[in-house]
Amino acid sequence: MEHGYAKGSDKANGAGFKQSTGRPIITISLLAVVRMARKESVNMEKRISVNREICSTCGLCAEVCPNQIMKKDGEAGIVFRQDRIFLCIKCGQCMAICPSKAIVVEGLDYARDFFALPTGTVGEMSFLEMIKTRRAIRVFKDQPVPREMLEKVVEAITFAPPGFTPIKAEIVVVQDTGVIRQALPEMVKFYDDLVRALSHPVARFFVRRKAGPEKFKILTQHVVPMMKTRLPELKEGTEDTITRYAPAMIIFHAHRDAENYEEDIHIAVTYGFLAAHALGLGGSAMTLIPPAIQRSPVLRKLFSIPDSNVVVGSMILGYPKYRYQRGIKRNLKGVTWI
């Protein structure tokens, strides 16, 4: 999943506070957190390397990196952006797509941490092979998704088992790419306001109280530092960290008084991803989108979200632009057999 800080509930999304007009109180600022992270960038550069002897400079690593830490720079080939290198989360996307195995992240090994992807269509594969080949897709072809394909994804979502019947989840299927592009500036404004608000001690105090320690940590250590580096390009319209230029999107919401709706929706999103993959589509859960819609009256109206409902999740969809060379092995934090 993309970086985010909440499952989308009203309780979780404690953002949108106005800036304090008083004199700042002495405190550990967000800027200090970012500075500490950037101190690590020197070490991070040593931990991410490119073997230029075998690198074909195809630029695929730069295309699929969630935070676009590297870029293709003419004769210099693949270079790292100093203002973003500290955002590396060692997700392995760059190594998974590199045709020549030229890029290496410290701690990851091609032989140990990756596996060859099965060939053939999804319809010919076993279930385990299918889920091995499914992955988050954030770079799409400039090609609309036919309504009949989206209808099949929606049908698959209806088979997601609810904790308590009847199903509480509601969805909005956005097949008009123009609507997604129309929403983006409002989402950018939401995160711009959030970054500025969290630079003020009073606002930080109230956000921490409303969001809780875990979500506040995600906010300050992941979302805000990332947004601080991305907002200039987002405002200029030269980059889209939030909707990833996706041609289609599905928004999941539910009545705030419904039972078990958050867990049900997360299961439903998973069913949607598997269906999309089986149909030859790609997608990603975008946890940056729900908070913006939840807190913005403009976006709620644009996406027809009732006032009584909470925006919980979203997924972007489209045809994958690139094919990955290998899958990434993941280990659980722990497994106990009894």
Side-chain angles (χ1 to χ4, degrees):
M1 295 203 299
E2 282 293 307
H3 298 300
Y5 62 87
K7 292 181 179 179
S9 68
D10 190 61
K11 182 179 180 181
N13 296 319
F17 290 88
K18 293 182 179 178
Q19 297 183 25
S20 168
T21 55
R23 176 170 284 180
I25 300 169
I26 296 175
T27 185
I28 297 175
S29 69
L30 176 62
L31 199 55
V33 175
V34 175
R35 281 174 181 159
M36 284 189 287
R38 282 184 175 169
K39 255 188 200 179
E40 294 297 316
S41 68
V42 176
N43 295 329
M44 282 301 301
E45 187 167 12
K46 295 177 183 177
R47 288 184 281 182
I48 311 174
S49 60
V50 178
N51 184 340
R52 303 194 183 280
E53 293 183 3
I54 60 174
C55 178
S56 65
T57 64
C58 63
L60 293 182
C61 56
E63 288 274 1
V64 304
C65 175
N67 289 320
Q68 296 185 331
I69 292 166
M70 63 281 288
K71 63 180 179 180
K72 189 175 178 179
D73 186 21
E75 294 183 1
I78 303 301
V79 298
F80 299 109
R81 290 191 54 163
Q82 295 302 311
D83 62 330
R84 295 187 182 183
I85 198 167
F86 73 98
L87 294 171
C88 177
I89 56 173
K90 296 188 177 183
C91 65
Q93 296 276 342
C94 53
M95 294 177 66
I97 204 166
C98 181
S100 56
K101 299 183 180 180
I103 191 160
V104 177
V105 178
E106 185 186 60
L108 296 179
D109 179 81
Y110 279 104
R112 183 192 66 227
D113 299 309
F114 297 85
F115 59 90
L117 289 173
T119 58
T121 64
V122 173
E124 299 170 346
M125 297 178 186
S126 69
F127 175 73
L128 287 177
E129 286 179 323
M130 187 186 83
I131 60 175
K132 283 180 181 179
T133 57
R134 199 218 74 81
R135 65 177 316 97
I137 299 296
R138 304 178 186 89
V139 185
F140 304 97
K141 293 180 181 178
D142 185 13
Q143 178 180 346
V145 180
R147 181 183 175 112
E148 55 268 26
M149 297 279 274
L150 293 171
E151 287 175 345
K152 290 179 180 178
V153 174
V154 172
E155 182 183 12
I157 290 171
T158 67
F159 290 105
F164 304 99
T165 55
I167 295 175
K168 317 299 190 308
E170 301 179 47
I171 66 173
V172 177
V173 184
V174 187
Q175 56 181 335
D176 186 343
T177 306
V179 173
I180 302 175
R181 302 291 85 81
Q182 182 183 344
L184 183 59
E186 189 67 24
M187 294 180 184
V188 173
K189 180 180 180 298
F190 168 80
Y191 281 104
D192 189 33
D193 290 345
L194 176 64
V195 169
R196 286 190 288 108
L198 282 174
S199 68
H200 290 263
V202 174
R204 284 171 63 88
F205 172 78
F206 283 109
V207 171
R208 184 184 185 99
R209 244 175 81 170
K210 193 169 182 69
E214 180 188 357
K215 294 180 178 68
F216 185 76
K217 183 177 179 180
I218 295 171
L219 259 178
T220 55
Q221 295 190 12
H222 297 280
V223 177
V224 172
M226 178 184 70
M227 277 298 166
K228 285 175 74 71
T229 67
R230 310 298 283 269
L231 278 168
E233 286 89 349
L234 280 165
K235 290 178 181 178
E236 292 170 3
T238 57
E239 187 174 303
D240 181 5
T241 307
I242 302 173
T243 66
R244 304 283 180 172
Y245 303 106
M249 180 168 68
I250 300 178
I251 301 164
F252 296 76
H253 59 103
H255 194 284
R256 67 181 71 255
D257 294 329
E259 299 173 321
N260 213 56
Y261 63 85
E262 289 195 22
E263 290 80 0
D264 289 356
I265 283 177
H266 292 307
I267 295 171
V269 171
T270 301
Y271 271 58
F273 279 141
L274 293 176
H277 181 48
L279 293 166
L281 299 172
S284 180
M286 300 302 294
T287 53
L288 290 173
I289 293 174
I293 299 175
Q294 176 68 17
R295 289 291 175 178
S296 167
V298 174
L299 293 175
R300 292 182 73 94
K301 182 177 180 181
L302 181 65
F303 293 117
S304 302
I305 306 296
D307 292 339
S308 59
N309 283 26
V310 177
V311 183
V312 178
S314 70
M315 55 187 291
I316 52 174
L317 293 165
Y319 290 98
K321 189 173 182 179
Y322 305 113
R323 181 184 179 277
Y324 279 80
Q325 302 293 316
R326 54 196 68 86
I328 307 169
K329 296 178 182 177
R330 308 289 189 191
N331 295 316
L332 296 172
K333 183 67 176 177
V335 178
T336 302
W337 296 83
I338 298 176

